[in-house]
Amino acid sequence: MALKKSFSKDGKKCTVTFSVAAEAANGVSRINIAGDFNSWSSTDTPMKKAKDGSFSAKLELDAGREYQFRYLIDGSRWENDWKADKYIPAPYSNADNSVVVTKKDF
């Protein structure tokens, strides 16, 4: 799992590529991203499965913010990104949420 970021020339937007490696997605048929950026929808942001078995999705987010998110695997299992920028305790469970920070200097 990994996050790759690129910023617009004016610095107002950050394109984040969320990815789950094939090894981590072994036997998985679908992964969705739920987070602050999509009102925690479990269906609005599906990741695309590549031929090698990995999954990825690109999202354009506002720069200068922090977004909490998690991966929903096969509609039933929640996972964090192993390479998230940081983690914050989830308000409704005994788990942490992954966080992506869209600041250039982070």
Side-chain angles (χ1 to χ4, degrees), residues 8-27:
S8 61
K9 289 183 181 182
D10 64 6
K12 293 182 179 181
K13 294 289 182 180
C14 179
T15 300
V16 180
T17 302
F18 297 84
S19 59
V20 177
E23 301 81 38
N26 188 22

Side-chain angles (χ1 to χ4, degrees), residues 19-35:
S19 59
V20 177
E23 301 81 38
N26 188 22
V28 171
S29 61
R30 73 182 195 280
I31 302 176
N32 289 316
I33 307 171

Side-chain angles (χ1 to χ4, degrees), residues 17-80:
T17 302
F18 297 84
S19 59
V20 177
E23 301 81 38
N26 188 22
V28 171
S29 61
R30 73 182 195 280
I31 302 176
N32 289 316
I33 307 171
D36 294 334
F37 42 76
N38 66 5
S39 299
W40 288 94
S41 170
S42 61
T43 58
D44 282 356
T45 312
M47 298 181 81
K48 184 176 180 180
K49 189 171 187 177
K51 289 181 181 180
D52 68 358
S54 65
F55 286 80
S56 66
K58 282 187 182 182
L59 296 177
E60 186 178 75
L61 304 173
D62 290 333
R65 294 192 50 199
E66 295 184 1
Y67 297 89
Q68 294 182 42
F69 72 97
R70 294 189 86 191
Y71 299 115
L72 180 59
I73 299 173
D74 286 335
S76 63
R77 190 176 87 224
W78 291 98
E79 291 287 337
N80 281 319

Side-chain angles (χ1 to χ4, degrees), residues 70 80 88-97:
R70 294 189 86 191
N80 281 319
I88 294 177
Y92 303 110
S93 68
N94 240 1
D96 288 336
N97 288 335

